[in-house]
Amino acid sequence: MFRFAKAALNLTGQAARQVRHNSTAQMNFNKKYGNILMVSGTGFCVAVWSYVVTQTGITWNLSPVGKVMPKEWREAEAEEE
């Protein structure tokens, strides 16, 4: 078990060094494609929600304020003795 743990720690250390070594690749990717991905993701979300709101027929549970009228109050009947 000790050999396995030692090998696992060695692999994680190597992976961390590789990530730090190639960290400029991520910055270049974000510079190159970041705005395009954000705009396309926003457009996709707007398109999906527009479809959901207009075409699916979901009954949205909107606020009933001003639409629901309260019933008339019934007075408690007095007990006759």
Side-chain angles (χ1 to χ4, degrees):
M1 188 66 178
F2 179 72
R3 287 182 182 173
F4 176 73
K6 189 175 178 181
L9 288 175
N10 188 23
L11 288 176
T12 57
Q14 287 177 356
R17 282 192 296 275
Q18 288 175 356
V19 168
R20 272 187 258 128
H21 179 69
N22 293 329
S23 63
T24 58
Q26 183 181 6
M27 286 190 283
N28 291 339
F29 178 83
N30 288 342
K31 277 185 181 179
K32 190 172 183 181
Y33 300 111
N35 291 335
I36 294 169
L37 286 175
M38 289 295 289
V39 170
S40 62
T42 302
F44 178 77
C45 287
V46 167
V48 168
W49 276 107
S50 298
Y51 174 78
V52 168
V53 168
T54 60
Q55 302 296 319
T56 58
I58 294 175
T59 303
W60 300 97
N61 192 14
L62 301 176
S63 174
V65 174
K67 298 177 184 175
V68 176
M69 297 300 295
K71 294 180 181 178
E72 291 294 324
W73 185 260
R74 278 191 316 162
E75 292 293 331
E77 297 176 8
E79 293 182 21
E80 295 178 21
E81 294 182 18

